Amino acid sequence: HDQLQSKPSTTPNDKELPPATASGDRMNATFVTLARNQDIWEIAKSIRHVEDRFNRKFNYDWVFLNDDDFNDEFKKVTSALVSGKTKYGKIPKEHWSYPEWIDQNKAAKVREDMKQKKIIYGDSVSYRHMCRYESGFFFRHPLMLDYEWYWRVEPSIDLYCDINYDTFKFMADNKKKYSFVLSLYEYVETIPTLWDAAKNFTKHYPQHIAKDNSMKFLSDDNGETYTNCHFWSNFEIGNLNWLRSDAYIDFFTSLDHAGGFFYERWGDAPVHSIAAGLMLAKDEIHFFNDIAYYHVPFTHCPTGEQYRLDHKCHCNPKDNFDWNGYSCTSRFYEMNGMQKPVGFEKEQ
Ligand code: GDP
Ligand code: MN
């Protein structure tokens, strides 16, 4: 109180303003972020966007995961910004290292090759551990076991429109298990044998394949070859129990043994996408047109001017990637027999 009294009397004590919260029950859900201590100011910016546009009304928890210990500054700044509880977890070594069946010399040669070919992150060991962790482990971290739903947030993202409803509740009420805002074609150099590994999985585990799946999104020839279409996984709202299911774990384990996380540079985006595409019914995957989002270099700005005005959006509709030739979102609409939003032609 001494400190407060020493402030000029014109400074309102705004720390005591009541939090703006929506009424109603909360879902068993959390935000989740994988980050390093050095990412602090970039994740601070992301949290600020998420809180302003959504979470200040809902106060969901936020789990931070790191292969190292988070330092006090990281914890202090992020816990001040998040309106819900914050939790900080260290990733066990076994989840961030080479499995014993990986030939590390072979992996090193691949990195050297990819460096020559200037493939993005091609020479990085930590990026590969990160992709493997996001593919197969984050949802089984002890801190995540308490939750059923997650929303993944990365450093340096923007949210451009108000979200006035509980997106987790929407997922549950509409029986959705996975969701996306941006979709695109993967660099094929990073996943030359991923589809072969996926086909090998479907051969051995036909019981895990959903009847009404999204094969038309993944393949133009009924499964022979991959379109390279994937949902961009730096944004995800999804169901953790699905990721923890036998089906998903068998899928991940099967890919992990194929070795492509290290012998190639498989991203968690195509891994999650192929899993969702094969093992979920297609109506369990949701496109959040109303979540306006940016992660370098792509923007999802909702098509439809009235929506943007009503939700105080500040994205430039010209930046919207959805109807661009490199996006797979049209394909998703066509597969599901969905009507494209009014005005999409003008944005093509
Ligand atoms: P990009 O979006 O594919 O360019 O990759 P990012 O650099 O954004 O990494 C993806 C996510 O993993 C982000 O949330 C990063 O903060 C996180 N990340 C990447 N590398 C590491 C790492 O070595 N350690 C930790 N703890 N997090 C990492
Ligand atoms: Mn990123």
Side-chain angles (χ1 to χ4, degrees):
H1 280 277
D2 285 341
Q3 236 182 334
L4 286 177
Q5 273 158 16
S6 68
K7 278 189 182 172
S9 59
T10 50
T11 305
N13 182 9
D14 64 357
K15 276 200 86 163
E16 284 174 16
L17 287 177
T21 52
S23 62
D25 293 340
R26 293 294 179 268
M27 301 297 291
N28 187 12
T30 186
F31 289 92
V32 60
T33 292
L34 177 65
R36 295 152 290 206
N37 287 310
Q38 74 218 47
D39 297 320
I40 179 171
W41 299 112
E42 296 307 318
I43 195 60
K45 171 193 137 104
S46 298
I47 296 170
R48 199 58 248 189
H49 276 262
V50 171
E51 287 289 335
D52 289 350
R53 291 301 198 169
F54 173 81
N55 202 41
R56 69 189 174 89
K57 291 161 276 192
F58 297 97
N59 305 165
Y60 279 107
D61 295 353
W62 206 305
V63 172
F64 296 89
L65 301 173
N66 188 354
D67 56 309
D68 194 0
D69 289 308
F70 282 115
N71 61 31
D72 288 341
E73 190 193 19
F74 188 99
K75 292 190 214 170
K76 194 162 57 177
V77 169
T78 53
S79 62
L81 290 170
V82 174
S83 59
K85 276 193 226 127
T86 47
K87 301 180 187 178
Y88 301 87
K90 188 165 178 175
I91 295 167
K93 193 93 206 121
E94 319 81 82
H95 292 175
W96 196 283
S97 45
Y98 292 99
E100 91 247 340
W101 59 86
I102 294 296
D103 175 346
Q104 295 193 31
N105 292 323
K106 181 173 161 186
K109 276 213 196 71
V110 169
R111 292 196 301 275
E112 197 45 51
D113 257 27
M114 287 199 175
K115 190 180 179 162
Q116 302 301 321
K117 292 188 195 148
K118 299 200 160 56
I119 293 171
I120 185 168
Y121 299 118
D123 61 341
S124 172
V125 175
S126 65
Y127 194 84
R128 285 182 171 78
H129 288 306
M130 181 278 286
C131 290
R132 179 169 175 263
Y133 188 76
E134 294 285 26
S135 297
F137 299 104
F138 81 91
F139 47 85
R140 7 182 190 171
H141 189 282
L143 291 177
M144 298 300 287
L145 297 180
D146 293 340
Y147 299 100
E148 186 183 356
W149 301 94
Y150 74 103
W151 179 334
R152 173 168 164 184
V153 176
E154 285 205 357
S156 317
I157 62 129
D158 293 336
L159 286 186
Y160 294 115
C161 302
D162 281 349
I163 305 163
N164 296 327
Y165 68 99
D166 186 338
T167 51
F168 297 115
K169 187 167 186 312
F170 172 89
M171 296 282 290
D173 290 350
N174 292 280
K175 302 198 168 28
K176 304 292 184 185
K177 297 275 169 59
Y178 192 76
S179 68
F180 71 100
V181 289
L182 283 156
S183 72
L184 64 157
Y185 294 95
E186 182 60 297
Y187 304 112
V188 68
E189 295 88 348
T190 67
I191 52 159
T193 69
L194 175 59
W195 189 248
D196 291 336
K199 284 200 284 190
N200 184 51
F201 166 79
T202 55
K203 201 170 80 199
H204 286 95
Y205 295 94
Q207 70 274 25
H208 291 330
I209 306 306
K211 274 206 191 67
D212 189 20
N213 62 36
S214 305
M215 188 56 95
K216 284 218 167 82
F217 182 79
L218 299 174
S219 177
D220 282 326
D221 48 19
N222 204 25
E224 196 45 39
T225 60
Y226 182 32
T227 55
N228 301 316
C229 277
H230 64 290
F231 308 121
W232 221 22
S233 62
N234 46 65
F235 167 97
E236 288 178 323
I237 298 176
N239 185 287
L240 292 162
N241 291 339
W242 171 57
L243 293 174
R244 291 185 288 244
S245 69
D246 288 347
Y248 187 86
I249 298 291
D250 287 342
F251 177 75
F252 171 73
T253 307
S254 162
L255 296 193
D256 201 24
H257 278 84
F261 290 108
F262 298 102
Y263 300 147
E264 295 178 4
R265 207 226 62 200
W266 294 352
D268 51 281
V271 170
H272 288 180
S273 302
I274 292 172
L278 295 177
M279 298 189 286
L280 295 178
K282 66 184 196 298
D283 59 8
E284 291 179 305
I285 304 176
H286 182 61
F287 170 56
F288 274 109
N289 184 45
D290 48 2
I291 300 185
Y293 178 81
Y294 173 77
H295 175 295
V296 65
F298 299 120
T299 300
H300 167 65
C301 186
T303 306
E305 184 179 43
Q306 198 55 52
Y307 180 85
R308 294 193 300 267
L309 296 173
D310 290 345
H311 294 81
K312 302 179 165 45
C313 303
H314 71 286
C315 50
N316 182 344
K318 291 206 179 80
D319 295 336
N320 185 27
F321 183 68
D322 299 355
W323 318 117
N324 178 303
Y326 292 105
S327 166
C328 293
T329 299
S330 277
R331 183 187 286 272
F332 182 84
Y333 267 74
E334 283 148 26
M335 169 183 76
N336 285 298
M338 288 159 62
Q339 193 89 48
K340 288 186 192 155
V342 176
F344 87 93
E345 306 90 340
K346 280 185 271 171
E347 293 183 7
Q348 257 171 333

